[in-house]
């Protein structure tokens, strides 16, 4: 197997680490298990082949020089390193596929605000929640952050290629907010990265080329926000509405969901689809913008929901994606990057497959100004219902396979789970990364078996999943297939508490 370290001497590494520094680390089972996965969650049947994907040690550096020291020691003893943020990605970006070190950066949280240059220089282990709240105290805010901002870290979102989030419709993709970065390369040297070309090399590549320790981001003066929530029964009407208002200059966030998603979050299901808009203070008044939007929405058979519901949605926005995970034994999903034009066919195909196979499902879409879409296809399942679980994963696989074959999109984030699609459908990108990996990481210690190499093959996964979809189809026809009934969450009847980060989400 290529692109993995050879002749690893882990015990010698630990002995040297003990002698040479005061860096905190742990070999306790509870630490290495809790730090070796992400939010996806897997039942035992799926965990069996992942048993080796467990770290040998978790290390918590607090300073850049400690990261340098760890990397140089790891090179000396050929010990693999998997960098970790908060683990909010669902695709195994921080699964230690070859054991070794989990380098947890969450204690690297120092930052400095430069008000004159409208930027913040921060270590990358800080969460978006903490950083943005502190910026708000200085009357500034970030230009974009993920829907998982309550936990996810700055470095984690860069490493997983986060581009669509809150504020990115107005201020641009998160990569466009980056001014420069400090990176510890696989040989333990510190690099300053400040060109768009070089920044792109580290964006979405799971830390296989370097560990980002510090980053400079654009910041913006705080401005008031106003939310609107509109219900639609036809997907065509929703998409037409988005295309009609796309040029409004005070759009801060636009996203859409279906009734299954909102039933789990807000306990509403009066419409088949929902369109959520957040306006940012600008040249036009909120009342004028609202009148425009309401007029256009009526043309496309949309119904504006009450201010109370839209405020409820906005205040709880950062909890909603993870709430479905909390209420579900195993959350299988796929995140696709596509464009608005392709969304209609993708969603209808997904819904039709899920209905025919009797599978739980819901959708969420986040849109940027160029009308690119992060489309989240969610299939909640239960690890005790193994056939339902496998068919749910197979459904996502079928959709991904189709988007590549029809050239309608690509996976949004790779990690461990989606590396098989890289090898099958994006071979040019893989070859470029393999060459770069060999040049910058000759010992292959940074996050092995991600992107450039996998432990399994597309052909094997495709065969397993297509067989499961076939048998699920038969089970549906003979009426033995059933959806999973999740216990009703008592919190559905309560108004959500405002999140801490929500201090800057309040409307006028």
């Amino acid at each position: 197997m290529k692109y993995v370290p050879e002749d690893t001497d882990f015990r010698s590494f630990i002995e040297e680490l003990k002698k040479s520094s005061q860096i905190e680390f742990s070999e306790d089972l509870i630490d290495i298990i809790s730090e070796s996965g992400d939010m996806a969650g897997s039942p035992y049947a799926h965990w069996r082949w992942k048993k080796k994907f467990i770290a040998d040690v978790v290390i918590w550096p607090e300073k850049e020089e400690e990261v340098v020291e760890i990397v140089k020691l790891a090179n000396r003893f050929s010990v693999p390193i998997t960098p970790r943020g908060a683990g909010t990605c669902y695709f195994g970006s921080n699964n230690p596929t070859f054991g070794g070190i989990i380098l947890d950066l969450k204690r690297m949280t120092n930052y400095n605000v430069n008000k004159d240059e409208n930027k913040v220089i921060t270590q990358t282990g800080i969460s978006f929640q903490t950083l943005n709240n502190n910026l708000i105290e200085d009357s500034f805010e970030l230009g974009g952050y993920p829907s998982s901002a309550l936990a996810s870290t700055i470095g984690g979102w860069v490493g997983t290629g986060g581009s669509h989030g809150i504020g990115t419709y107005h201020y641009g993709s998160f990569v466009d907010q980056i001014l420069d970065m400090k990176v510890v390369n696989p040989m333990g040297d510190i690099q300053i990265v400040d060109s768009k070309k070089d920044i792109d090399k580290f964006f979405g590549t799971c830390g296989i080329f370097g560990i980002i320790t510090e980053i400079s981001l654009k910041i913006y003066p705080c401005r008031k926000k106003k939310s609107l929530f509109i219900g639609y029964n036809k997907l065509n009407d929703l998409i037409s509405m988005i295309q009609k208002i796309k040029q409004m200059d005070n759009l801060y966030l636009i996203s859409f969901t279906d009734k299954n998603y909102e039933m789990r979050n807000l306990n509403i299901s009066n419409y088949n689809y929902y369109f959520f808009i957040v306006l940012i203070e600008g040249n036009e008044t909120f009342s004028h913008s609202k009148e425009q939007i309401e007029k256009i929405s009526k043309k496309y058979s949309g119904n504006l929901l009450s201010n109370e519901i839209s405020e409820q949605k906005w205040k709880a926005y950062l909890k909603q994606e993870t709430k479905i995970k909390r209420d579900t034994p195993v959350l299988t999903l796929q995140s696709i990057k596509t464009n608005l034009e392709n969304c209609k066919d993708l969603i209808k195909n997904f819904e039709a497959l899920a209905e025919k196979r009797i599978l739980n499902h819901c959708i969420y879409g986040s849109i940027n100004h160029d009308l690119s879409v992060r489309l989240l296809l969610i299939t909640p399942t239960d690890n005790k219902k193994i056939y339902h679980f496998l068919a749910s994963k197979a459904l996502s696989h079928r959709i991904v396979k189709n988007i590549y074959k029809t050239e309608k999109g690509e996976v949004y984030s790779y990690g461990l789970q989606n590396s098989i699609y890289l090898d099958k459908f994006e071979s040019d990108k893989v070859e470029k990364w393999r060459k770069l990996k060999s040049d910058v990481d000759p010992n292959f210690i940074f996050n092995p078996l991600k992107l450039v190499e996998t432990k399994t093959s597309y052909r094997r996964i495709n065969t397993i999943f297509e067989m499961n979809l076939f048998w699920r189809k038969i089970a549906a026809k003979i009426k033995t297939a059933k959806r999973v009934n999740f216990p009703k969450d008592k919190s559905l009847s309560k108004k959500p508490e405002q999140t801490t980060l929500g201090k800057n989400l309040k409307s006028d």
Side-chain angles (χ1 to χ4, degrees):
M1 186 176 292
K2 300 178 181 178
Y3 311 105
V4 294
E6 297 179 354
D7 302 321
T8 296
D9 186 356
F10 176 72
R11 291 321 311 169
S12 295
F13 167 83
I14 289 294
E15 291 306 313
E16 286 297 315
L17 186 65
K18 288 177 181 177
K19 289 190 294 185
S20 63
S21 75
Q22 299 299 313
I23 302 171
E24 186 175 348
F25 66 91
S26 173
E27 296 178 80
D28 292 346
L29 187 62
I30 190 169
D31 288 322
I32 62 175
I33 288 180
S34 63
E35 296 263 12
S36 292
D38 58 20
M39 287 184 62
S42 297
Y44 179 71
H46 197 223
W47 181 254
R48 283 180 297 181
W49 68 276
K50 285 186 177 179
K51 275 186 175 179
K52 294 182 180 178
F53 293 6
I54 296 290
D56 297 295
V57 64
V58 180
I59 307 180
W60 293 278
E62 297 182 16
K63 303 173 184 177
E64 184 176 74
E65 51 265 35
E66 293 176 343
V67 175
V68 169
E69 180 181 349
I70 293 163
V71 171
K72 288 185 175 180
L73 269 180
N75 261 296
R76 182 177 165 190
F77 297 105
S78 296
V79 178
I81 300 176
T82 303
R84 177 184 170 88
T88 56
C89 180
Y90 291 90
F91 305 108
S93 299
N94 62 347
N95 288 132
T97 52
F98 214 67
I101 303 162
I102 282 284
L103 196 67
D104 187 331
L105 302 174
K106 289 196 295 294
R107 296 186 185 180
M108 298 182 65
T109 58
N110 293 329
Y111 69 94
N112 180 55
V113 180
N114 187 326
K115 297 181 182 180
D116 295 330
E117 297 183 19
N118 281 16
K119 71 177 183 180
V120 60
I121 303 169
T122 179
Q123 289 183 311
T124 53
I126 195 169
S127 71
F128 280 92
Q129 171 186 237
T130 301
L131 181 59
N132 210 42
N133 280 347
N134 291 337
L135 287 173
I136 290 166
E137 292 179 2
D138 288 323
S139 299
F140 283 94
E141 63 185 352
L142 294 168
Y145 49 88
S147 54
S148 56
L150 294 179
S152 62
T153 65
I154 302 292
W157 213 37
V158 175
T160 55
S163 57
H164 292 60
I166 298 163
T168 56
Y169 191 96
H170 190 76
Y171 291 114
S173 176
F174 187 64
V175 71
D176 298 325
Q177 308 298 316
I178 300 172
L179 299 170
D180 57 64
M181 305 187 303
K182 289 178 77 173
V183 178
V184 177
N185 70 20
M187 302 309 293
D189 301 318
I190 300 172
Q191 293 179 291
I192 306 296
V193 179
D194 56 8
S195 72
K196 179 69 165 60
K197 180 181 177 181
D198 287 337
I199 289 172
D200 283 346
K201 182 170 65 179
F202 299 97
F203 195 79
T205 52
C206 304
I208 67 170
F209 303 126
I211 297 169
I212 306 165
T213 55
E214 185 179 279
I215 190 166
S216 297
L217 296 169
K218 299 175 186 177
I219 56 175
Y220 302 87
C222 287
R223 291 152 69 183
K224 291 181 180 179
K225 317 290 191 307
K226 174 68 177 177
S227 60
L228 302 170
F229 205 19
I230 307 170
Y232 291 87
N233 281 318
K234 293 182 179 179
L235 185 60
N236 287 356
D237 290 334
L238 167 60
I239 291 175
S240 296
M241 174 66 181
I242 296 170
Q243 291 171 330
K244 192 68 176 178
I245 70 166
K246 64 183 180 183
Q247 296 303 330
M248 292 182 67
D249 64 3
N250 59 343
L251 295 173
Y252 178 71
L253 163 69
I254 59 176
S255 64
F256 59 86
T257 52
D258 66 359
K259 65 180 179 182
N260 295 329
Y261 187 95
E262 296 304 342
M263 186 63 192
R264 292 307 309 170
N265 280 300
L266 296 177
N267 200 24
I268 57 174
S269 59
N270 296 333
Y271 300 95
N272 292 326
Y273 302 97
Y274 292 87
F275 183 31
F276 186 62
I277 304 169
V278 178
L279 303 170
I280 188 168
E281 188 177 38
N283 295 327
E284 293 187 0
T285 63
F286 286 139
S287 58
H288 181 257
S289 296
K290 180 180 177 181
E291 286 176 10
Q292 281 185 297
I293 291 171
E294 188 169 12
K295 183 179 178 181
I296 297 170
S297 69
K298 286 180 179 178
K299 180 181 177 182
Y300 295 104
S301 304
N303 291 286
L304 194 67
L305 278 65
S306 69
N307 287 335
E308 182 182 10
I309 293 177
S310 66
E311 287 294 302
Q312 187 178 346
K313 170 82 173 176
W314 188 214
K315 289 175 181 178
Y317 198 84
L318 299 179
K319 291 184 176 180
Q320 292 193 348
E321 196 173 318
T322 53
K323 183 178 183 302
I324 296 177
K325 161 59 184 170
R326 188 192 70 190
D327 299 339
T328 305
V330 177
L331 185 61
T332 59
L333 56 79
Q334 188 54 264
S335 191
I336 293 168
K337 186 175 181 180
T338 183
N339 60 50
L340 188 63
E341 200 64 42
N342 291 330
C343 269
K344 180 172 64 176
D345 289 341
L346 289 176
I347 292 170
K348 287 185 175 180
N349 187 22
F350 173 70
E351 291 175 337
L353 280 170
E355 288 297 321
K356 287 178 181 177
R357 267 60 174 189
I358 321 295
L359 295 169
N360 305 63
H361 61 92
C362 57
I363 63 165
Y364 163 85
S366 177
I367 307 170
N368 275 0
H369 194 269
D370 60 358
L371 297 189
S372 62
V373 181
R374 178 205 175 205
L375 182 60
L376 202 61
L377 305 175
I378 306 169
T379 49
T381 185
D382 187 342
N383 57 322
K384 295 178 181 178
K385 313 290 184 182
I386 187 62
Y387 297 113
H388 187 282
F389 165 75
L390 290 172
S392 296
K393 289 186 72 70
L395 173 60
S396 296
H397 169 76
R398 171 76 69 82
I399 297 295
V400 172
K401 183 169 66 170
N402 287 344
I403 66 165
Y404 276 109
K405 288 184 175 180
T406 58
E407 299 182 345
K408 289 187 175 181
E410 60 188 30
V411 292
Y412 178 80
S413 186
Y414 296 111
L416 170 67
Q417 176 178 321
N418 286 333
S419 290
I420 59 167
Y421 302 117
L422 268 172
D423 199 40
K424 175 67 176 179
F425 299 110
E426 300 186 61
S427 56
D428 290 346
K429 184 182 289 185
V430 174
E431 284 306 314
K432 182 181 73 173
W433 284 344
R434 283 175 176 171
K435 184 179 185 307
L436 182 59
K437 180 72 169 171
S438 298
D439 291 341
V440 303
D441 187 12
N443 295 323
F444 304 116
I445 65 166
F446 273 16
N447 215 354
L449 295 175
K450 305 284 172 55
L451 280 61
V452 296
E453 184 81 356
T454 65
K455 266 193 173 182
T456 190
S457 69
Y458 171 87
R459 184 177 181 180
R460 177 176 178 269
I461 293 297
N462 184 58
T463 301
I464 293 171
F465 283 160
E466 288 300 331
M467 286 177 61
N468 273 280
L469 277 183
F470 173 77
W471 289 116
R472 187 70 183 183
K473 183 179 180 180
I474 299 298
K477 282 188 175 183
I478 63 175
K479 298 183 178 181
T480 59
K482 296 180 181 179
R483 288 186 177 85
V484 174
N485 294 317
F486 301 112
K488 187 175 177 64
D489 185 350
K490 294 179 182 179
S491 68
L492 288 173
S493 60
K494 300 178 182 179
K495 291 183 179 179
E497 297 178 2
Q498 184 168 318
T499 61
T500 308
L501 188 56
K503 288 190 293 185
N504 76 312
L505 306 185
K506 294 173 72 175
S507 303
D508 63 336

